[in-house]
């Protein structure tokens, strides 16, 4: 049920005094962004204050950070009296089952419901224009396009750009937006932001996690959200069909020690026939890459997931010695040094050949 993990179960109710006390002892500000972002923040706030209708969009096949960020901002802006729509450019438009608990989903509309020339578009977690999908033309036709993102590979599109590669998640930037708008955290907003931060930090395990990330998590938890239920929904719940698809993908897994500049590549692919046979959506198998990346022998892991029309969605992970964002950019995608993705309309052998060719240059980080 939408929003259930925010306060479901038998947990003791948290009083307003307890929340305010917890928030008071946690430091701010809410972001570590350098002062050079201040003109962009002021431009974004001016655009928001002058807009009646605001369209909030995120990338196709949204993950927790993308959809959580858009919904958190949408809930806050609705509270301020704006008419808001949240959308992403897929058709069909499917919210992954793992994110079905997120509050604010009544704000989501199909891409076709976004005006052809929007008044104001706020774009969340979109690393490349191609990730806008069906909303690409509409986003660029907006009177003002504001981009909130944390991908180092982002080329810098949009009229107002709040792109901070130092941020561990786009949700961190949304938290700062809410602070500047004067919107306090409630359980619904906190659930969306916690989902964004937790997913993009690998449940606070990735190198991008900072002390400020944990401080943010503390403030979100102080609203009374149930992080145990959120985490269970995100990482510990699947259909039985997913296990069958996972078994097939692992059976097809290939280890190539000579690839990635001799540091090793492990890859597999999931044909659409497997998904159809076991009633599993491509969104449901997003976590497969986290299983494939475990072998100590391989620096890089790649999962290719096939859509009904044959399109391949590539999810890639690195342990840090290879910049997979740069490799994925060669195939029209992007992301982070450690985690990136791309879309290919070529077959599996051709896509793999191109990906192998893009690997091999160690990162200097």
């Amino acid at each position: 049920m939408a929003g259930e993990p925010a306060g479901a179960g038998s947990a003791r109710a948290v009083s307003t005094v307890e929340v305010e006390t917890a928030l008071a002892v946690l430091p701010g500000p809410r972001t570590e962004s350098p002062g050079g972002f201040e003109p962009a923040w002021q431009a974004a706030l001016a655009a928001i204050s002058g807009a009646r209708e605001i369209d909030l969009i995120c990338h196709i096949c949204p993950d927790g950070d993308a959809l959580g960020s858009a919904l958190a901002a949408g809930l806050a802006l609705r509270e301020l009296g704006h008419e808001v729509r949240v959308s992403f450019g897929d058709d069909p438009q499917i919210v992954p089952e793992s994110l079905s608990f997120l509050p604010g989903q009544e704000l989501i509309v199909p891409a076709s419901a976004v005006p052809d020339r929007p008044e104001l578009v706020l774009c969340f977690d979109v690393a490349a224009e191609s990730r806008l999908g069906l909303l690409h033309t509409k986003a660029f036709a907006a009177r003002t396009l504001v981009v909130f993102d944390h991908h180092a590979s982002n080329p810098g599109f949009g009229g107002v750009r709040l792109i901070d590669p130092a941020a561990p998640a786009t949700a961190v930037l949304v938290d700062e937006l809410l602070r500047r708008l004067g919107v306090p955290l409630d359980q619904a907003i906190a659930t969306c932001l916690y989902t964004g931060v937790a997913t993009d930090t690998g449940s606070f395990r990735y190198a991008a996690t900072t002390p400020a990330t944990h401080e943010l998590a503390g403030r979100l938890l102080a609203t009374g959200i149930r992080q145990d239920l959120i985490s269970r929904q995100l990482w510990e719940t699947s259909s039985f069909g997913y296990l069958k698809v996972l078994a097939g993908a692992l059976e097809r897994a290939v280890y190539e020690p000579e690839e990635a500049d001799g540091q090793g590549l492990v890859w597999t692919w999931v044909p659409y026939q497997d998904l159809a046979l076991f009633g599993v959506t491509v969104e449901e198998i997003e976590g497969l890459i986290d299983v494939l990346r475990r072998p100590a022998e391989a620096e890089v892991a790649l999962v290719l997931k096939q859509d009904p029309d044959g399109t391949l969605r590539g999810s890639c992970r690195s342990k840090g010695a290879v910049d997979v964002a740069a490799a994925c950019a060669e195939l029209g995608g992007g992301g982070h040094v450690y985690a990136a993705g791309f879309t290919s309309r070529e077959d599996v052998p051709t896509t793999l050949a191109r990906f192998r060719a893009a690997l091999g240059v160690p990162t200097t980080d």
Side-chain angles (χ1 to χ4, degrees):
M1 183 174 180
E4 184 178 72
S10 58
R12 179 180 63 84
V14 181
S15 71
T16 302
V17 172
E18 288 176 302
V19 171
E20 291 178 347
T21 301
L23 292 175
V25 300
L26 290 167
R30 295 186 180 181
T31 181
E32 297 177 336
S33 299
F37 283 93
E38 192 58 33
W41 277 117
Q42 294 303 318
L45 293 174
I48 290 170
S49 66
R52 184 179 66 86
E53 292 187 1
I54 303 177
D55 288 278
L56 304 95
I57 66 176
C58 60
H59 62 68
I60 56 176
C61 307
D63 58 10
D65 192 25
L67 192 58
S69 294
L71 289 174
L75 289 167
L77 292 170
R78 182 176 66 178
E79 187 174 320
L80 292 175
H82 296 278
E83 182 179 331
V84 298
R85 290 177 291 263
V86 175
S87 191
F88 50 95
D90 286 308
D91 184 20
Q93 194 182 66
I94 299 172
V95 173
E97 182 63 29
S98 63
L99 301 178
S100 62
F101 66 90
L102 285 177
Q105 292 189 46
E106 68 277 6
L107 300 176
I108 298 177
V109 301
S112 59
V114 175
D116 290 337
R117 298 182 63 84
E119 182 179 1
L120 172 62
V121 169
L122 306 183
C123 179
F124 299 94
D125 205 45
V126 179
E129 294 179 27
S130 61
R131 300 285 283 163
L132 290 167
L134 297 175
L135 288 171
H136 180 276
T137 300
K138 294 182 176 183
F140 281 89
R143 187 172 71 186
T144 305
L145 172 60
V146 182
V147 175
F148 296 88
D149 191 28
H150 71 125
H151 294 91
S153 62
N154 191 305
F157 67 91
V160 179
R161 296 178 288 275
L162 285 155
I163 303 169
D164 184 6
T170 297
V172 172
L173 300 175
V174 176
D175 178 66
E176 175 65 10
L177 174 65
L178 270 53
R179 183 188 73 83
R180 289 171 177 262
L181 290 172
V183 178
L185 296 173
D186 59 21
Q187 287 191 2
I189 292 173
T191 296
C192 294
L193 292 178
Y194 186 90
T195 298
V197 174
T199 52
D200 259 33
T201 60
S203 193
F204 307 95
R205 292 179 291 118
Y206 296 163
T209 305
T210 67
T213 313
H214 287 288
E215 291 164 3
L216 169 57
R219 288 190 287 104
L220 299 175
L221 294 179
T223 65
I225 62 173
R226 288 288 303 275
Q227 80 276 13
D228 57 330
L229 299 183
I230 294 173
S231 297
R232 185 186 308 163
Q233 183 75 12
L234 289 174
W235 293 293
E236 299 174 8
T237 302
S238 70
S239 66
F240 181 72
Y242 167 77
L243 298 182
K244 303 295 284 185
V245 172
L246 174 63
L250 295 180
E251 179 65 27
R252 283 187 293 273
V254 177
Y255 168 51
E256 299 179 351
E258 71 282 1
E259 299 300 335
D261 197 34
Q263 297 173 91
L265 165 68
V266 59
W267 66 271
T268 190
W269 78 293
V270 180
Y272 176 71
Q273 288 83 352
D274 277 16
L275 301 177
L277 177 62
F278 297 110
V280 175
T281 65
V282 71
E283 290 78 17
E284 190 176 349
I285 61 171
E286 285 299 310
L288 197 160
I289 185 66
D290 294 315
V291 178
L292 197 70
R293 69 195 295 261
R294 293 181 183 179
E297 297 90 339
E299 167 65 25
V300 177
L302 172 69
V303 175
L304 297 175
K305 298 156 287 186
Q306 188 179 51
D307 284 337
D309 65 357
T311 299
L312 296 173
R313 307 185 194 186
S315 294
C316 188
R317 297 291 184 272
S318 165
K319 294 173 182 174
V322 173
D323 184 349
V324 292
C328 289
E330 292 291 321
L331 281 79
H336 308 285
V337 170
Y338 299 98
F342 61 88
T343 299
S344 172
R345 299 193 180 279
E346 299 173 303
D347 60 19
V348 172
T350 304
T351 301
L352 275 169
R354 292 185 60 202
F355 183 75
R356 292 188 190 103
L359 291 174
V361 181
T363 179
T364 56
D365 292 348

